[in-house]
Amino acid sequence: MTAFNSTHAFSGFSVDDIDAARAFYGDVLGMDVTTNEMGFLDIALGGGGGSILVYAKPNHEPASYTILNFPVDDVEAAVDELNARGVVTKIYDDPQLGTDAKGISHGQPGRGPDIAWFRDPAGNVLAVLAPN
């Protein structure tokens, strides 16, 4: 196939308040956020990893799954830093996840890596997790 090219592919998700998203992703998480000509946000992923398009949607409903994962070397340190920035990481009380007081689910064989989830201002779920 020569007409289809995935070189500049990108992902996107909706939010209910573009200004709150700009502040959260740019100021709180420290990501490179710009506003494009349509008023949407372009979030550059570090290391040349592409970008994400964030757009306002009046009838936005938060995704029921994790929309963005941040691999980190030390999940506990990342959670401490996020908590210090005002981000709440304990969002699940499900005993199946086995999260600790900080909201970290500690990995075990067959259960995946250490991971902690948090929400953006629109209610979308994000996570920090140990790389495999």
Side-chain angles (χ1 to χ4, degrees):
M1 241 170 32
T2 59
F4 175 81
N5 185 327
S6 64
T7 302
H8 298 288
F10 61 93
S11 182
F13 57 86
S14 70
V15 296
D16 55 358
D17 183 334
I18 205 79
D19 293 327
R22 182 183 301 105
F24 180 76
Y25 287 97
D27 300 337
V28 176
L29 297 185
M31 300 179 78
D32 181 11
V33 179
T34 57
T35 304
N36 69 25
E37 63 279 352
M38 295 178 62
F40 299 156
L41 303 181
D42 288 318
I43 301 176
L45 298 175
S51 65
I52 300 168
L53 178 72
V54 178
Y55 55 94
K57 184 177 175 190
N59 59 345
H60 165 77
E61 290 188 28
S64 61
Y65 52 88
T66 307
I67 62 163
L68 187 57
N69 293 286
F70 297 92
V72 296
D73 291 330
D74 184 336
V75 172
E76 183 128 2
V79 164
D80 289 344
E81 186 175 324
L82 287 167
N83 291 165
R85 295 179 187 188
V87 176
V88 175
T89 51
K90 179 138 178 80
I91 64 171
Y92 296 122
D93 289 323
D94 183 344
Q96 295 286 350
L97 295 175
T99 58
D100 65 16
K102 291 182 181 182
I104 300 171
S105 176
H106 295 278
Q108 298 172 14
R111 284 194 50 202
D114 288 357
I115 186 168
W117 295 271
F118 57 101
R119 296 186 188 278
D120 73 2
N124 295 311
V125 178
L126 308 126
V128 290
L129 69 151
N132 289 338

